[in-house]
Amino acid sequence: MLEGEVTYTKLRIAVIGAGVAGTCLTIGLCHNPLLDVRLFEAHPRISVRGAGLAFHGNAIKSMDLISPLIKKTYFRKSHFMTNEEDLELATQIIVGSGQHAGTLIAELGRAKGRRTIHRAHFIQGLLEDIIPKDRVHFGKRMVGIDTMDGAGATPPKVIATFADGTTGEFDLLFGCEGVNSITRQFILGPDHPAADAVNHDGWRCFNNLVPMEEAKNVLPAESIEKVRMFCTPLGYVNGLPVDLGRTYSVSCYQRDSKGSNCDISGFDANQWKSFCPEVTSLISLVEKAPKENWKILDHDHAPAYYAGPVAVIGDAAHATGPHAGNGAAQAIEDAAILTGVFAHVKSSYQVGAALKAFDQVRRPRSQKVVEITRHFGRLYSLDEDERDIESMKKQMKEGGMYTNGVDMDAQVQVAVSMFKSIVSVRGTGEELTE
């Protein structure tokens, strides 16, 4: 080393899972030049499966706090629901059966220039446009986590073991591998009651993707131009354009416990055909070939989102059902908070303070969203004689204001202030050098 040359020491960070949470977090952490961030994805590529997304306002605000490039990619890859950029649109929740059929009970996620996108296309865009290719490692399924105490007062390291037999040593590991996260089990312990995903209300989703022209043949224009959800005693059904408007994604969310002939391995369209005409039309599209059939899983509340140098975010931390349309938004909120806090991290000794600030700010809010989402699902699937329309409107308005009306700038500021306060008490330790 030449005299006077600076030794460059970086914090090695593993992000496990290239979903919405993992990709957004990787982008945010890469702003800090002292962080060497690596993204590991179990599959060899990002495949197109599952339903589409229509991000709510809180998600769009959070994108900008991570990187304006995320919203730019979202706009490039998404379908614009209206020709007017400044027109505010929202997901409409409509009664789909009984004497109140056609009644609008809520509008969720109001935002200007509402767009729809397939989850996979959003992730593919982030990988193509923003994340350097040398930071991403496909075909790396993590199968084990261990921690290794550092020498002396040195912070512990994390050892990740992958299915191909390789291992990696990191200063910090974020589990973003979804609802069945082994990182979550490592943090909580395999026997903890909140370690595994649950399906308390028996929800199941059937999804199909059809050409847009086929959808237009059976649906009114309003259902093509807006995101509309129809509630019935069995559950609810909705559809939205994806693939830049070339494809229509239609999903039926069914409570297996409420049907008269619900076969958990199949889809009985006849049970849905006594509801309003638009429900029948949407079901006819699902009925053609329900390509996706999966249980809707979420999490009971974890007492912490981190343990030592290991943390979880997104669905690994607080998986939630689709009933409030805010699962992916919560993952982006996680990434926004961590981006703000880790911009100030200068030492491996400060990782614990950063994770504590993240946990204290994000855990109460994200877990409240899980509760709101479960409640929304129960409201959607009320029997016709159980419905109190005015009460439903009130409850959904309050829940929607909580999910969508958050001040994300203030949330980041609170987390950063908390981090700095913890560091000032604990001391900063040895600083990293760029």
Side-chain angles (χ1 to χ4, degrees):
M1 183 174 67
L2 298 176
E3 185 177 353
E5 184 176 346
V6 176
T7 301
Y8 294 95
T9 306
K10 291 192 175 186
L11 207 63
R12 285 179 52 79
I13 299 179
V15 178
I16 309 297
V20 172
T23 50
C24 288
L25 178 61
T26 298
I27 292 166
L29 295 180
C30 282
H31 293 317
N32 186 338
L34 301 180
L35 308 181
D36 179 11
V37 186
R38 302 291 161 169
L39 176 60
F40 298 91
E41 167 55 37
H43 297 94
R45 68 189 66 84
I46 303 299
S47 59
V48 177
R49 65 182 299 270
L53 297 170
F55 284 121
H56 291 192
N58 59 316
I60 296 172
K61 296 172 193 172
S62 298
M63 290 178 191
D64 276 338
L65 293 174
I66 304 167
S67 169
L69 295 177
I70 295 179
K71 189 165 72 174
K72 184 177 179 181
T73 295
Y74 168 50
F75 282 8
R76 182 178 70 82
K77 300 287 283 188
S78 59
H79 172 66
F80 197 26
M81 296 292 288
T82 174
N83 293 323
E84 297 182 44
E85 185 75 30
D86 291 331
L87 182 64
E88 288 190 335
L89 292 178
T91 298
Q92 297 182 334
I93 313 300
I94 302 169
V95 177
S97 67
Q99 63 175 323
H100 298 292
T103 301
L104 177 68
I105 57 173
E107 291 188 309
L108 302 179
R110 183 170 293 279
K112 289 184 178 181
R114 194 76 184 277
R115 296 167 181 261
T116 57
I117 191 171
H118 198 286
R119 183 184 303 267
H121 295 158
F122 178 59
I123 295 166
Q124 288 168 350
L126 299 182
L127 291 168
E128 293 165 3
D129 296 351
I130 308 175
I131 302 175
K133 288 181 171 51
D134 62 354
R135 302 265 185 162
V136 185
H137 308 273
F138 285 99
K140 302 291 285 186
R141 181 180 297 278
M142 188 178 71
V143 294
I145 305 172
D146 288 301
T147 54
M148 180 177 64
D149 291 337
T154 304
K157 304 288 186 182
V158 188
I159 309 298
T161 301
F162 298 95
D164 60 8
T166 61
T167 60
E169 180 181 310
F170 305 95
D171 297 289
L172 172 59
L173 183 147
F174 285 104
C176 314
E177 70 270 56
V179 64
N180 294 310
S181 165
I182 65 170
T183 311
R184 181 186 182 89
Q185 294 203 347
F186 174 83
I187 291 170
L188 299 182
D191 297 325
H192 192 282
D196 294 322
V198 294
N199 183 13
H200 292 307
D201 292 335
W203 284 101
R204 181 176 296 274
C205 177
F206 302 91
N207 173 265
N208 194 17
L209 299 172
V210 300
M212 181 57 73
E213 290 306 312
E214 190 173 325
K216 287 181 176 179
N217 287 337
V218 299
L219 295 173
E222 198 168 14
S223 283
I224 303 297
E225 296 166 359
K226 297 179 181 179
V227 181
R228 288 152 61 87
M229 180 189 299
F230 291 86
C231 306
T232 81
L234 294 180
Y236 61 98
V237 60
N238 72 349
L240 49 80
V242 295
D243 193 22
L244 297 174
R246 294 186 289 266
T247 305
Y248 194 74
S249 173
V250 58
S251 299
C252 173
Y253 298 93
Q254 174 178 284
R255 286 187 70 177
D256 285 341
S257 60
K258 299 204 69 178
S260 59
N261 183 29
C262 289
D263 180 352
I264 63 170
S265 64
F267 174 66
D268 185 358
N270 289 326
Q271 293 187 107
W272 292 80
K273 291 182 178 178
S274 62
F275 302 135
C276 76
E278 195 157 349
V279 170
T280 303
S281 296
L282 287 163
I283 289 297
S284 73
L285 296 176
V286 181
E287 184 180 16
K288 288 177 180 293
K291 295 183 174 62
E292 303 284 359
N293 171 2
W294 66 91
K295 288 183 178 179
I296 301 298
L297 301 175
D298 64 12
H299 284 139
D300 290 332
H301 297 340
Y305 287 170
Y306 76 103
V310 180
V312 283
I313 78 165
D315 280 353
H318 43 72
T320 184
H323 321 313
N326 225 256
Q330 290 305 300
I332 299 173
E333 284 191 21
D334 286 345
I337 297 296
L338 287 166
T339 297
V341 172
F342 272 84
H344 299 273
V345 169
K346 299 179 180 179
S347 164
S348 58
Y349 296 86
Q350 297 176 348
V351 166
L355 296 180
K356 184 176 180 64
F358 161 73
D359 182 77
Q360 292 194 2
V361 170
R362 282 297 301 146
R363 186 158 48 86
R365 173 169 163 77
S366 59
Q367 291 179 346
K368 178 71 177 289
V369 171
V370 173
E371 293 173 3
I372 289 170
T373 300
R374 287 176 175 177
H375 184 59
F376 277 13
R378 292 161 188 160
L379 287 176
Y380 297 159
S381 56
L382 287 173
D383 289 340
E384 290 168 7
D385 60 358
E386 295 177 312
R387 292 176 184 149
D388 180 334
I389 296 300
E390 292 308 312
S391 176
M392 290 173 71
K393 288 181 178 181
K394 181 177 182 293
Q395 293 176 68
M396 295 202 65
K397 182 178 180 180
E398 290 173 353
M401 288 177 64
Y402 184 85
T403 58
N404 200 47
V406 62
D407 184 340
M408 283 306 300
D409 289 286
Q411 293 269 296
V412 171
Q413 290 170 14
V414 168
V416 170
S417 296
M418 191 176 295
F419 163 74
K420 290 180 176 179
S421 176
I422 297 169
V423 166
S424 68
V425 172
R426 292 182 179 178
T428 59
E430 298 178 11
E431 291 193 348
L432 300 168
T433 54
E434 186 177 344

